Amino acid sequence: MTKKLFLLDAMALIYRAYYALNRNPRINSKGLNTSAVLGFANTLYDVLKNEKPTHIGVAFDTRVPTLRSEGFAAYKANRESMPEDIVSSLPYIVKLIEAFNIPILAVDGYEADDVIGTLAKQAENNDFKVFMMTPDKDFGQLVSENVLIYKPAKFGEKAVVMGIQEVCEKFGIKHPLQVIDMLGLWGDSSDNIPGIPGVGEVTARKLLEEFGSVENLIENSAQISNPKLREKVEAHKQQALISKQLATIVLDVPIDFNEEALVYSEPNVEKLKEILDELEFLTFAKRVFSDLSSEPSQSVTQTRTIQAGLFDAQESGSENEIQNGELLTIHNTAHTYHMVTTAEERSQLIEKLKAASNFCFDTETTGLDTHSSELVCMSFAMQPNEAWCVMLPANYDLALGIVNEFKPLFENPNIEKTGQNLKFDITMLRYYDTEVKGPMFDTMLAHYLLEPDQRHNMDFLARTYLNYEPVPIESLIGKKGKAQGSMRDVSPEILKEYACEDADITLQLRQVFEPQLKESDCHDLFTAIEMPLVPVLASMEAEGVKLDIENLKDYSGVLKTEIGEIEEQIYEQAGTKFNIASPKQLGDILFDKMKIASKPRQTKTKQHSTAEDVLSKLVHKHPIVQLILDYRSLTKLKSTYVDSLPELVNLRTGRIHTSYNQAVTSTGRLSSNNPNLQNIPIRTERGREIRKAFVPRNDDYVMLSADYSQIELRIIASLSSNQNMIDDFNAGRDIHAATAARVYNVTLEEVTPDMRRNAKTVNFGIIYGISAFGLSERLNIPRSEAAEIINQYFSKYSGIRKYMDEQIISAREHGYVETMMKRRRYLRDINSNNSIVRGFAERNAINAPIQGSAADMIKLAMINVFREIEKQKLRSKMILQVHDELVFDVHKNEISEVKNIIEEQMKNALPLKVPVEIDMHTGTNWLEAH
């Protein structure tokens, strides 16, 4: 069998994993950001499982200065500090590698690159096929017939293996060793390798094509035809030689190639379970252990480490960190769970529930879609470790009769109800003619306010806060998919245990979270917004919205015709037929055949990029580009919305029912799925046509849309107390024109459309930390002009600059920022030494209170509008929420009353220092009402 050695460049892979996952960081119950560990673990296990190496090792740098840094002080001097979350992750990554029984490779005075290079060449001489696992381009110099670069898979792409041909094509060179010469000329800003100033990749390639090496170039510099380039080379020849030396991977590191030590066998299962429990990698653990047939062994295999200088306990403290980590101990408490099947048992339970001031309840159903599922049982708990499960028959009428027995309890406004994701249970009970009323406590939403960046499912919460391991639903009905069973088929005794446990554990979680809400100053937000919103969303989801399917079918035909016509125009412009949906074929046509750009951007796989942002900048180059953009827009519109929406009409109700998620976004915004109605395009005329298909329930109703006007700008004016912006809003001026007038020092009458457009981009971009570069990209103007616009903006709106600075200072002091309603956004990286990581947190410190206050505002408006409609017993219904817009199904006789309610409640939801404006319209469909 071929000996197959994988050598992993640890830090390169760790950084890659961290930045890939940290936009949506994985935070465990101890507050540890596990993004880097999880990403590295997945990468490592993918290789072990898919590539099946016979030998493997993981190489690290050490803290000891290297020969390069001693000889060239500036080497890597401009590198950012390691993000703190990576620093704290390293001991766990080491422990994980040890648990997989993989040797760690490190030698003082040498980089991981050198260790990998030395071992790779030694292994090659011992008949190994070597794979250097790294995203680092420097390793191209080592590639040979049996030494290859292995770039791990990411974002659904396959792993990329680079040999001699691929490296030479990537750099445009004749031999992999010329990678060193490329870097000597071109430099490497990430490592502070200077190269020759003014020589980029293209020039370096041309020079090597002519002279072959840095040394030969310097020796024959008189032959360089371009006088300016010749001058640069001769002036910096010593720097080029030093750069080449810095870029050269050392191949004689004092480390012995020990073939036996690198053999991969099996993980140490006991150690692996221990570290995965500690990290709370439950899904990853299931994945690994389902592939391992062995149980934890009685003996512990000795972990092999080769010169692991970095991880000496006295030097790094990593052993102490690991030993002091609190290990999660799972224990299941004794309990008493009752099955309720007879009318007498139900009557006795109802009397108990009546006597309680509050109770916890949960429902088990035949599925997760509340609009097509049925109840299987209901469970109740009033005190920890005791619960009751009420079984329900499959026959709807019989089940309805039993639910009706409990209806007075659910609808009693004086009894408080507790649950986990109560909206689901409330919506299910509506199908059984029961409306849940009274105060409510949702443990999912409580935890969302306490720890918005963590997971909020009950199993995670039980393990984290109760040290309790719930019965997994997979043990009852199997994993998700076509083969998954139904709760209806689970034996009553097993179902009783599962259902009662849900109610019992949820009740215990409430006892944990309720005092924490008060301690963290979130209780008012919980009781004033999140909990009152639950029945509002449940009602909206249950109502749904009617869809004009025939309209969409007709529109689908129109789009099909338009797409066909655009296809023919594209083929005509290109002079050939090709697959327009294929990025490769499209790139070949646009850039190789038609040559519409002199230096087209390339993807990481060295194909021409045909991304939308690339093509948008080339629209003026050739008519085919706009045709391609139109083609993409129409095909997406047709497949994603026009053809898909009719398939989502519920058979039970004949309407579309989206599901609103309260506990997803960290800003407090609602999200929508199945279908996501918040993503229906509105910026193009064709996209807006989809809204025509959303219609009133019958001819007695009309659609009404009410939309906050520029609410985030009004909120920032109020939060920052910026007088100029407040004056403009109070005077009713066009805010973007007024901003343009101030920024450009002209009168309102002198403001041009371009000036207004630029000001609008700044107004909306400034709260997201838009830079001069970002503004120049968006407006297609020089960076100097963009910088001047931003400077002028802050000089005229100094209050906004002050607000932004104060938010960052406050975040650094407290670790979080707050909305007007005290919703917190925790910013763990606000004091990071790494400027990239810290900058992202600083931008969130500025925009989170603005976005979050807008989210709180529309939530309050929804609650108050809903209550007024209920109070006045109107037939009209609120049916959709899309960002800053509310949509209603309004009875024609109630239009005036509903408009008054909406205007009153939306405008006064939150007190601002500027007037709140609402755009409100009615129509026979959503488009007409918008």
Side-chain angles (χ1 to χ4, degrees):
M1 187 175 71
T2 302
K3 293 188 288 186
K4 192 175 181 182
L5 170 63
F6 268 76
L7 296 171
L8 279 62
D9 183 0
M11 292 312 299
L13 295 172
I14 290 167
Y15 266 90
R16 171 185 175 272
Y18 172 75
Y19 283 114
L21 297 180
N22 207 49
R23 286 283 177 174
N24 182 23
R26 275 63 171 173
I27 311 293
N28 70 7
S29 65
K30 304 176 189 71
L32 176 70
N33 183 336
T34 60
S35 302
V37 192
L38 180 60
F40 181 86
N42 278 314
T43 298
L44 175 63
Y45 190 65
D46 282 344
V47 166
L48 295 176
K49 182 178 180 180
N50 300 328
E51 302 299 337
K52 296 180 172 50
T54 59
H55 299 70
I56 190 169
V58 181
F60 283 85
D61 301 326
T62 76
R63 288 188 173 85
V64 177
T66 66
L67 297 175
R68 292 180 183 84
S69 59
E70 288 176 351
F72 185 69
Y75 180 65
K76 294 191 176 180
N78 66 339
R79 278 203 168 176
E80 288 281 359
S81 301
M82 186 184 294
E84 289 80 358
D85 286 326
I86 292 183
V87 174
S88 62
S89 296
L90 284 175
Y92 296 96
I93 291 173
V94 171
K95 199 172 179 182
L96 183 76
I97 294 168
E98 290 174 343
F100 272 107
N101 227 3
I102 295 172
I104 293 170
L105 315 168
V107 179
D108 285 345
Y110 295 90
E111 296 181 40
D113 305 27
D114 303 323
V115 174
I116 290 173
T118 299
L119 292 176
K121 291 305 177 182
Q122 290 180 15
E124 183 180 30
N125 294 333
N126 284 273
D127 302 320
F128 274 80
K129 193 87 168 178
V130 183
F131 295 86
M132 303 176 295
M133 190 166 166
T134 178
D136 195 336
K137 63 179 180 290
D138 299 13
F139 282 85
Q141 64 189 272
L142 302 175
V143 166
S144 64
E145 187 176 341
N146 291 306
V147 177
L148 309 168
I149 292 175
Y150 184 95
K151 288 190 171 184
K154 65 173 184 177
F155 306 128
E157 299 174 2
K158 292 182 179 179
V160 176
V161 177
M162 298 181 69
I164 295 173
Q165 181 181 342
E166 290 80 9
V167 169
C168 290
E169 287 178 357
K170 174 181 174 61
F171 286 95
I173 53 181
K174 295 177 181 178
H175 190 278
L177 278 173
Q178 287 182 305
V179 168
I180 315 171
D181 296 285
M182 280 288 291
L183 296 173
L185 297 172
W186 177 15
D188 186 345
S189 59
S190 64
D191 289 342
N192 217 29
I193 297 176
I196 296 177
V199 172
E201 181 179 4
V202 175
T203 304
R205 186 181 296 122
K206 288 178 181 177
L207 289 172
L208 289 179
E209 191 175 334
E210 184 176 353
F211 296 98
S213 69
V214 170
E215 291 81 359
N216 195 42
L217 169 67
I218 291 170
E219 189 177 334
N220 298 283
S221 60
Q223 297 178 27
I224 300 173
S225 57
N226 184 322
K228 287 187 177 179
L229 181 57
R230 181 170 63 246
E231 185 181 335
K232 287 178 184 177
V233 170
E234 290 176 346
H236 297 92
K237 59 185 178 182
Q238 194 60 35
Q239 187 166 293
L241 290 170
I242 292 172
S243 296
K244 179 174 179 177
Q245 183 183 347
L246 292 171
T248 302
I249 292 175
V250 177
L251 300 180
D252 57 356
V253 173
I255 183 170
D256 293 329
F257 176 68
N258 187 334
E259 182 174 334
E260 184 179 341
L262 293 166
V263 170
Y264 180 68
S265 52
E266 289 290 330
N268 181 327
V269 178
E270 284 182 347
K271 277 194 168 187
L272 191 57
K273 284 195 171 183
E274 181 180 316
I275 183 62
L276 296 183
D277 276 349
E278 188 172 355
L279 290 165
E280 301 168 14
F281 287 178
L282 304 176
T283 303
F284 180 76
K286 285 180 184 177
R287 178 186 171 207
V288 173
F289 294 124
S290 66
D291 293 334
L292 295 172
S293 56
S294 61
E295 288 298 316
S297 58
Q298 295 302 312
S299 60
V300 178
T301 308
Q302 186 65 37
T303 302
R304 298 152 293 156
T305 304
I306 304 175
Q307 280 192 262
L310 172 63
F311 303 104
D312 178 76
Q314 291 183 345
E315 181 182 351
S316 69
S318 61
E319 289 297 324
N320 291 334
E321 288 182 48
I322 292 170
Q323 289 171 2
N324 291 339
E326 183 185 346
L327 213 59
L328 182 64
T329 304
I330 301 297
H331 61 88
N332 288 358
T333 312
H335 56 248
T336 304
Y337 293 161
H338 310 275
M339 187 184 299
V340 178
T341 55
T342 68
E344 183 180 352
E345 289 170 339
R346 292 195 296 272
S347 177
Q348 292 172 355
L349 173 59
I350 288 168
E351 289 305 311
K352 290 178 184 289
L353 294 170
K354 274 183 183 177
S357 59
N358 65 74
F359 61 79
C360 180
F361 80 98
D362 187 58
T363 61
E364 301 303 333
T365 62
T366 56
L368 295 178
D369 179 5
T370 54
H371 309 292
S372 60
S373 301
E374 297 175 346
L375 287 175
V376 177
C377 67
M378 301 182 295
S379 54
F380 300 88
M382 289 162 278
Q383 59 189 27
N385 305 319
E386 186 174 19
W388 288 259
C389 176
V390 179
M391 298 296 178
L392 297 170
N395 180 281
Y396 174 81
D397 291 329
L398 294 176
L400 178 63
I402 293 174
V403 173
N404 277 338
E405 295 174 21
F406 291 82
K407 183 173 180 175
L409 282 168
F410 284 121
E411 297 190 346
N412 188 330
N414 299 316
I415 300 178
E416 189 171 16
K417 288 84 179 176
T418 299
Q420 164 80 11
N421 191 13
L422 271 170
K423 178 162 66 67
F424 179 89
D425 305 296
I426 290 172
T427 308
M428 282 303 308
L429 287 170
R430 285 178 70 104
Y431 178 54
Y432 289 81
D433 195 31
T434 296
E435 186 177 353
V436 179
K437 296 180 181 178
M440 299 181 203
F441 191 104
D442 191 322
T443 50
M444 179 185 76
L445 296 179
H447 188 254
Y448 167 62
L449 293 184
L450 293 167
E451 297 288 352
D453 293 321
Q454 287 189 9
R455 289 172 288 167
H456 314 295
N457 64 77
M458 197 200 75
D459 288 0
F460 172 77
L461 299 180
R463 291 187 203 97
T464 304
Y465 294 93
L466 305 176
N467 283 351
Y468 185 89
E469 180 66 42
V471 175
I473 193 170
E474 291 85 359
S475 67
L476 276 67
I477 59 175
K479 294 182 178 179
K480 288 181 181 179
K482 292 182 179 178
Q484 189 175 48
S486 167
M487 282 295 201
R488 189 79 77 192
D489 303 322
V490 177
S491 73
E493 186 60 32
I494 293 174
L495 180 60
K496 175 203 76 176
E497 287 294 310
Y498 180 85
C500 285
E501 182 183 73
D502 278 0
D504 179 17
I505 295 304
T506 299
L507 183 67
Q508 293 184 48
L509 286 170
R510 172 178 178 161
Q511 294 175 342
V512 174
F513 295 151
E514 193 163 22
Q516 290 185 9
L517 285 172
K518 293 174 182 175
E519 290 166 12
S520 62
D521 204 18
C522 294
H523 195 261
D524 288 348
L525 176 66
F526 181 74
T527 55
I529 294 183
E530 296 302 340
M531 288 317 307
L533 188 64
V534 172
V536 178
L537 296 178
S539 172
M540 291 168 65
E541 290 179 11
E543 288 296 329
V545 58
K546 186 177 177 182
L547 198 69
D548 185 344
I549 295 175
E550 289 304 314
N551 178 291
L552 286 178
K553 284 182 179 177
D554 292 343
Y555 192 37
S556 179
V558 170
L559 290 178
K560 183 178 180 181
T561 302
E562 287 190 29
I563 290 168
E565 292 171 353
I566 291 174
E567 276 182 345
E568 290 304 316
Q569 293 177 57
I570 290 172
Y571 297 149
E572 184 180 344
Q573 295 279 356
T576 184
K577 285 193 174 184
F578 64 98
N579 183 358
I580 304 170
S582 165
K584 185 179 186 312
Q585 291 186 35
L586 179 59
D588 291 344
I589 291 290
L590 293 180
F591 303 115
D592 291 339
K593 183 176 185 291
M594 302 182 70
K595 300 188 185 302
I596 66 169
S598 56
K599 294 181 181 179
R601 194 169 88 189
Q602 291 190 317
T603 65
K604 291 184 178 179
T605 57
K606 289 299 169 184
Q607 292 183 8
H608 296 305
S609 174
T610 59
E612 185 172 352
D613 64 320
V614 172
L615 296 186
S616 295
K617 294 175 184 175
L618 299 172
V619 169
H620 63 288
K621 294 281 188 179
H622 198 284
I624 194 173
V625 179
Q626 186 60 56
L627 290 171
I628 290 162
L629 291 173
D630 290 344
Y631 172 85
R632 285 181 175 177
S633 174
L634 293 186
T635 52
K636 181 180 180 180
L637 201 63
K638 185 175 184 295
S639 62
T640 307
Y641 300 104
V642 178
D643 293 342
S644 298
L645 284 173
E647 297 174 5
L648 298 175
V649 172
N650 187 271
L651 296 177
R652 183 189 285 173
T653 66
R655 297 160 77 84
I656 276 193
H657 302 266
T658 189
S659 178
Y660 289 104
N661 306 306
Q662 274 177 272
V664 172
T665 69
S666 52
T667 60
R669 287 270 190 190
L670 293 172
S671 67
S672 159
N673 66 334
N674 296 325
N676 183 351
L677 297 182
Q678 296 186 335
N679 270 3
I680 291 177
I682 58 170
R683 296 193 178 185
T684 65
E685 185 179 342
R686 291 185 179 100
R688 287 192 291 271
E689 280 291 308
I690 294 173
R691 291 194 170 198
K692 270 189 181 177
F694 291 81
V695 295
R697 64 190 62 210
N698 58 46
D699 292 341
D700 293 330
Y701 287 74
V702 294
M703 299 290 275
L704 185 152
S705 167
D707 197 354
Y708 276 122
S709 172
Q710 301 166 334
I711 195 61
E712 289 190 356
L713 287 179
R714 294 173 193 273
I715 287 172
I716 193 173
S718 192
L719 288 175
S720 67
S721 298
N722 187 273
Q723 199 57 51
N724 280 343
M725 190 172 277
I726 289 173
D727 289 344
D728 289 336
F729 275 124
N730 285 336
R733 300 186 186 107
D734 175 338
I735 191 63
H736 303 309
T739 301
R742 294 183 189 280
V743 167
Y744 289 101
N745 289 314
V746 297
T747 65
L748 271 173
E749 294 72 25
E750 293 173 313
V751 171
T752 66
D754 280 347
M755 288 178 180
R756 186 184 183 279
R757 177 175 65 94
N758 294 353
K760 181 177 180 180
T761 304
V762 177
N763 269 333
F764 286 120
I766 211 76
I767 60 175
Y768 297 99
I770 195 168
S771 63
F773 173 77
L775 186 61
S776 68
E777 285 281 295
R778 289 194 200 178
L779 298 178
N780 196 25
I781 60 176
R783 198 179 304 184
S784 58
E785 183 181 342
E788 179 60 23
I789 292 173
I790 291 174
N791 289 336
Q792 282 295 315
Y793 184 91
F794 283 131
S795 73
K796 299 301 169 66
Y797 296 100
S798 57
I800 293 177
R801 175 82 270 176
K802 183 183 177 189
Y803 163 79
M804 293 166 71
D805 292 340
E806 287 175 347
Q807 284 298 110
I808 293 171
I809 292 169
S810 176
R812 285 176 182 158
E813 182 181 349
H814 299 104
Y816 62 83
V817 290
E818 290 182 333
T819 68
M820 296 170 70
M821 290 296 293
K822 304 289 185 184
R823 183 185 302 278
R824 289 183 181 177
R825 176 74 186 273
Y826 292 94
L827 302 165
R828 304 173 66 258
D829 299 319
I830 192 67
N831 292 308
S832 173
N833 291 325
N834 184 286
S835 65
I836 297 171
V837 174
R838 186 178 65 251
F840 185 70
E842 288 174 350
R843 288 191 291 276
N844 280 332
I846 294 165
N847 69 54
I850 300 163
Q851 279 192 317
S853 293
D856 292 341
M857 190 169 185
I858 198 162
K859 284 180 176 179
L860 282 167
M862 292 168 72
I863 293 164
N864 295 333
V865 168
F866 179 80
R867 284 175 175 170
E868 276 301 309
I869 288 176
E870 292 276 293
K871 181 181 175 182
Q872 296 186 29
K873 294 183 170 49
L874 301 178
R875 288 166 288 186
S876 303
K877 302 290 181 183
M878 182 162 52
I879 55 173
L880 293 175
Q881 187 266 358
V882 180
H883 306 304
D884 300 323
E885 176 186 10
L886 298 179
V887 182
F888 299 81
D889 209 355
V890 179
H891 195 278
K892 290 178 179 177
N893 294 337
E894 299 171 351
I895 292 175
S896 178
E897 295 98 310
V898 172
K899 278 187 172 183
N900 289 336
I901 291 171
I902 292 169
E903 184 156 3
E904 171 71 17
Q905 301 304 334
M906 287 186 74
K907 284 188 173 183
N908 297 301
L910 270 183
L912 299 182
K913 295 175 183 177
V914 298
V916 174
E917 296 297 328
I918 311 293
D919 294 326
M920 190 161 31
H921 305 280
T922 59
T924 58
N925 57 61
W926 188 7
L927 177 63
E928 196 176 293
H930 190 265

